[in-house]
Amino acid sequence: LETVRVLTARGATVLAAARTREKALASAPAALPLECELSEPSSIQQCLREVQGLGLQLDGIIANAGIMALPRLQQKHGLELQFLTNHLGHFQLVTGLLPLLSERGRVVILSSRAHRMAPATGIEFENLSGERGYRPWRAYGQSKLANLLFARALSRRIPQAVSAVHPGVIVTNLWRHLPGLVSWGMRLAGSLVLKSIPQGAATQVWAAVHPDAAELRGDYLVDCNRASPTLLGRDELLAERLWQESERLLSRLT
């Protein structure tokens, strides 16, 4: 919401997607509301058709949504829900929007420092359903590593700027699945040492519009600067395998 506020305040036309059109309109009244449930491929397809029908060229795509650390395994379409929502939904949406991206457009994928929590193999291709073992933070870390790898693979396929962003640790509704005492502690810490919401939005806004970000090629960003992800986050072969598997999964689901 802070990203929408900043961009619209400076004259940008923003297409704001949420799980329902009503939620998008209520949350971002200055933007054009779109319905897009990232865990539902048919909803994403409908959103893509609506955007295409507007006849607009896009100067930027910010893949910002996510769910975190679901306490119990949840599945949809045979996939663990964090992987489906955080990675595969964004993969479908972003690749579907690429034909509308301007020559000097940007793609910003929200990753996280939590990609360091991913499994030792990086992406558990034989356990994308979560049925062979599920740990909340490991599954979240895997989805955030997938975001980072998606940005790297995408940067090799398009000439426009692409980046993966760690926004920082910010107290938002993303924490809603944490146990009550942990959530309370985080909210207390948020008022003392964590980033504010405007600080958290700064890097993705910078990557989307600042002239200095025009040459990003799958870079990982922290605090409006390039940073080093894990070795897995720089693994080009893993990124390519994930791209191929994502295409295969989407061909089954759409």
Side-chain angles (χ1 to χ4, degrees), residues 219-234:
D219 297 272
Y220 175 58
L221 305 178
V222 178
D223 295 332
C224 300
N225 285 285
R226 289 180 173 90
S228 295
T230 62
L231 288 175
L232 288 169
R234 302 193 296 272

Side-chain angles (χ1 to χ4, degrees), residues 19 36-44 67 76-77 81 84-86 89 92 253:
R19 284 194 170 99
C36 187
E37 170 53 71
L38 285 171
S39 68
E40 186 50 65
S42 62
S43 175
I44 298 171
I67 53 177
K76 193 173 182 181
H77 300 298
L81 193 57
L84 174 63
T85 303
N86 296 355
Q92 180 185 358
L253 297 176

Side-chain angles (χ1 to χ4, degrees), residues 182-215:
V182 175
S183 180
W184 180 86
M186 291 302 299
R187 293 182 187 281
L188 178 62
S191 63
L192 300 173
V193 298
L194 301 183
K195 280 188 175 184
S196 67
I197 288 175
Q199 289 170 334
T203 301
Q204 65 197 57
V205 172
W206 180 85
V209 302
H210 198 282
D212 290 351
E215 302 304 320

Side-chain angles (χ1 to χ4, degrees), residues 2-122:
E2 176 65 10
T3 298
V4 173
R5 184 193 69 78
V6 170
L7 293 175
T8 55
R10 285 153 181 81
T13 298
V14 177
L15 311 182
R19 284 194 170 99
T20 67
R21 192 180 306 275
E22 292 74 22
K23 180 176 288 189
L25 182 60
S27 300
L32 298 176
L34 296 168
E35 180 174 329
C36 187
E37 170 53 71
L38 285 171
S39 68
E40 186 50 65
S42 62
S43 175
I44 298 171
Q45 287 292 92
Q46 178 57 38
C47 179
L48 289 171
R49 286 191 290 269
E50 186 170 352
V51 175
Q52 291 159 2
L54 294 173
L56 298 174
Q57 189 174 59
L58 302 179
D59 296 305
I61 303 169
I62 303 177
N64 182 81
I67 53 177
M68 183 178 74
L70 305 181
R72 293 174 299 279
L73 173 62
Q74 295 186 44
Q75 298 169 312
K76 193 173 182 181
H77 300 298
L79 296 169
E80 189 273 320
L81 193 57
Q82 291 178 92
F83 179 84
L84 174 63
T85 303
N86 296 355
H87 167 64
L88 195 61
H90 279 130
F91 181 92
Q92 180 185 358
L93 181 64
V94 171
T95 55
L97 291 172
L98 289 179
L100 304 180
L101 190 63
S102 68
E103 183 178 338
R104 300 181 64 186
R106 318 273 182 89
V107 178
V108 183
I109 309 293
L110 266 286
S111 181
S112 170
R113 190 168 284 152
H115 78 274
R116 300 175 183 276
M117 300 179 182
T121 57

Side-chain angles (χ1 to χ4, degrees), residues 133-234:
Y134 174 77
R135 296 202 317 229
W137 285 105
R138 186 175 66 179
Y140 179 66
Q142 174 175 258
S143 73
K144 294 290 101 181
L145 176 62
N147 293 149
L148 213 169
L149 294 172
F150 173 37
R152 294 190 73 86
L154 180 61
S155 71
R156 296 198 301 272
R157 287 168 164 82
I158 64 173
Q160 292 94 335
V162 182
S163 58
V165 170
H166 169 60
V169 182
I170 312 118
V171 178
T172 69
N173 199 37
L174 190 65
W175 294 93
R176 63 188 179 277
H177 296 294
L178 296 186
L181 187 59
V182 175
S183 180
W184 180 86
M186 291 302 299
R187 293 182 187 281
L188 178 62
S191 63
L192 300 173
V193 298
L194 301 183
K195 280 188 175 184
S196 67
I197 288 175
Q199 289 170 334
T203 301
Q204 65 197 57
V205 172
W206 180 85
V209 302
H210 198 282
D212 290 351
E215 302 304 320
L216 295 172
R217 293 293 178 263
D219 297 272
Y220 175 58
L221 305 178
V222 178
D223 295 332
C224 300
N225 285 285
R226 289 180 173 90
S228 295
T230 62
L231 288 175
L232 288 169
R234 302 193 296 272

